[in-house]
C-alpha cells in the first residue's frame, strides 16, 4: 500500500505508482474524503484499499480495503474530514483520573520500555507500539469502504494510526499495471458519538474492520465475539471485543483472513471513545495475540487539544 505525505514545505509527495486525481475537500459532514475524480473502483472483487492525502485544498487519490489520508481538521477519525487547520501535535499535562504518568508529566512516555507512544491529541488518547511500527501524524485517518462504492463512504475508520509493514503484500490483481498494497497490521483510535454503550462500540468496530478489510462481500465469513469488560494498565475501564474472518478466498494473491480487537471506553466527560487493532490472520508473521493485548494494555487518557 502506498501512502501520501505532506512535506515540510507543504507539498504533497506521492509514494508508489498510483496516478493522482485532484479535487476539492468535502464540506463538513461529507461522506467521502474528496468530491471529484476518486479514481476507478477496484475490479475482481478486491477490497477497496484507497490511500488519500488531503493537502491544502487538494485531495490526491493514490490507490483503491484500507484507506489513509491527512485531514484538515474537524472530527475526521470516522473517515469524514472537515475543512479547517490541521490538528496540533503535542498534548498538555492531564489531571484525568487513571491517567498514567509513565515517567513524564504529560503521560506520553511509553509504558513499555523500548516501545514508542502513539498519541491522538484530538481525542486525548495515547498507547504504545513496538519500535518497528510506523507512527503516522495526528492528522492521518485510515478507513475502509464497500467495494465498488464510488463515494468511498467509510464503513469504519480511525485517526492517528500506527502501521506495521505498510507494503507487506503487493499485487496487481486486475492486471492494470497498478500495484495495490496490503499492510500487515494497523492500530488507531476514534470517537464513538453514535454508540449506545461501550460493548456495542467495541463489537461493531471489530466486525466492520474485519469485514471491510478482508471478508467483503461475504459477511457470513466474519465471526464477532461477545464484548467483555477490560481494564488497561492505567486503570481505564471499558469493553473489548474481537472479530475474525475465516475462509476468505478472493482471487488476489493478497486475499487473506483478518482479525480485529477493539476497546471502547468513556473519558471523564462521558464521551465514548475507542481503540482498534486490525491485522492479517493465519500467516507466519501475524502479530501474535500477546502483542496485541500488550498494546491494548497501554491505552490511556491524556489531555487533548481543543
Amino acid at each position: 500500500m502506498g501512502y501520501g505525505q505532506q512535506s515540510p514545505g507543504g507539498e504533497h509527495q506521492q509514494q508508489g505508482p498510483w496516478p493522482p486525481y485532484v479535487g476539492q475537500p468535502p464540506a463538513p459532514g461529507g461522506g467521502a474524503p474528496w468530491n471529484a475524480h476518486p479514481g476507478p473502483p477496484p475490479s475482481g472483487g478486491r477490497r477497496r484499499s484507497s490511500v488519500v492525502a488531503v493537502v491544502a485544498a487538494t485531495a490526491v487519490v493514490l490507490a483503491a480495503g484500507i484507506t489513509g489520508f491527512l485531514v484538515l481538521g474537524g472530527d475526521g477519525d470516522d473517515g469524514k474530514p472537515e475543512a479547517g487547520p490541521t490538528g496540533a501535535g503535542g498534548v498538555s499535562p492531564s489531571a484525568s483520573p487513571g491517567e498514567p504518568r509513565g515517567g513524564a508529566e504529560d503521560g506520553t512516555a511509553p509504558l513499555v520500555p523500548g516501545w514508542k507512544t502513539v498519541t491522538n491529541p484530538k481525542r486525548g488518547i495515547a498507547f504504545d507500539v513496538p519500535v518497528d511500527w510506523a507512527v503516522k501524524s495526528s492528522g492521518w485517518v485510515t478507513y475502509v469502504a464497500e467495494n465498488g462504492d464510488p463515494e468511498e463512504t467509510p464503513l469504519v475508520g480511525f485517526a492517528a494510526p500506527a502501521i506495521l509493514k505498510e507494503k507487506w503484500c503487493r499485487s496487481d490483481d486486475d492486471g492494470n499495471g497498478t500495484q495495490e498494497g496490503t499492510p500487515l497490521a494497523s492500530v488507531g483510535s476514534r470517537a464513538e458519538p453514535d454508540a449506545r454503550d461501550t460493548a456495542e462500540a467495541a463489537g461493531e468496530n471489530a466486525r466492520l474492520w474485519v469485514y471491510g478489510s478482508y471478508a467483503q462481500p461475504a459477511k457470513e465469513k466474519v465471526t464477532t465475539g461477545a464484548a467483555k469488560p477490560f481494564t488497561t494498565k492505567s486503570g481505564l475501564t471499558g469493553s473489548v471485543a474481537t472479530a475474525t474472518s475465516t475462509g476468505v478466498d478472493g482471487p488476489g494473491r493478497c486475499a487473506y483472513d483478518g482479525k480485529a480487537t477493539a476497546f471502547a471506553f468513556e473519558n471523564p466527560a462521558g464521551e465514548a471513545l475507542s481503540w482498534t487493532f486490525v491485522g492479517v490472520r493465519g500467516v507466519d508473521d501475524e502479530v501474535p495475540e500477546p502483542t496485541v493485548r500488550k498494546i491494548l494494555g497501554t491505552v490511556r487518557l491524556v489531555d487533548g487539544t481543543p
Side-chain angles (χ1 to χ4, degrees), residues 112-301:
V112 180
W115 284 22
K116 53 190 177 184
T117 299
V118 182
T119 305
N120 182 343
K122 183 171 181 62
R123 301 305 174 193
I125 301 170
F127 58 91
D128 301 338
V129 294
V131 294
D132 54 343
W133 288 63
V135 178
K136 296 299 181 180
S137 74
S138 61
W140 191 278
V141 172
T142 301
Y143 69 90
V144 287
E146 286 280 3
N147 287 344
D149 178 5
E151 299 298 323
E152 287 278 352
T153 304
L155 292 170
V156 66
F158 49 49
I163 302 173
L164 178 62
K165 298 183 180 179
E166 300 179 50
K167 300 177 182 179
W168 175 75
C169 181
R170 299 186 69 181
S171 64
D172 179 14
D173 297 336
D174 55 13
N176 67 353
T178 297
Q179 290 283 323
E180 297 173 347
T182 300
L184 181 61
S186 304
V187 62
S189 55
R190 59 174 279 167
E192 297 290 347
D194 300 324
R196 290 177 294 184
D197 52 47
T198 59
E200 178 186 76
E204 277 298 280
N205 263 284
R207 181 185 70 83
L208 288 171
W209 272 110
V210 171
Y211 168 72
S213 300
Y214 306 102
Q216 65 169 305
K219 294 181 179 180
E220 70 277 5
K221 293 185 178 181
V222 179
T223 300
T224 306
K228 299 178 181 180
F230 187 84
T231 302
T232 69
K233 293 172 66 174
S234 73
L236 186 60
T237 60
S239 302
V240 66
T242 60
T244 58
S245 67
T246 303
V248 169
D249 55 359
R253 64 180 297 269
C254 293
Y256 292 95
D257 278 312
K259 62 181 182 180
T261 297
F263 173 55
F265 50 94
E266 292 186 353
N267 63 15
E271 299 168 326
L273 306 169
S274 69
W275 166 99
T276 304
F277 164 93
V278 57
V280 179
R281 173 175 172 259
V283 298
D284 290 343
D285 46 357
E286 172 184 350
V287 178
E289 189 61 23
T291 301
V292 176
R293 291 285 168 158
K294 192 171 183 178
I295 297 172
L296 166 59
T298 67
V299 177
R300 54 200 184 270
L301 296 175

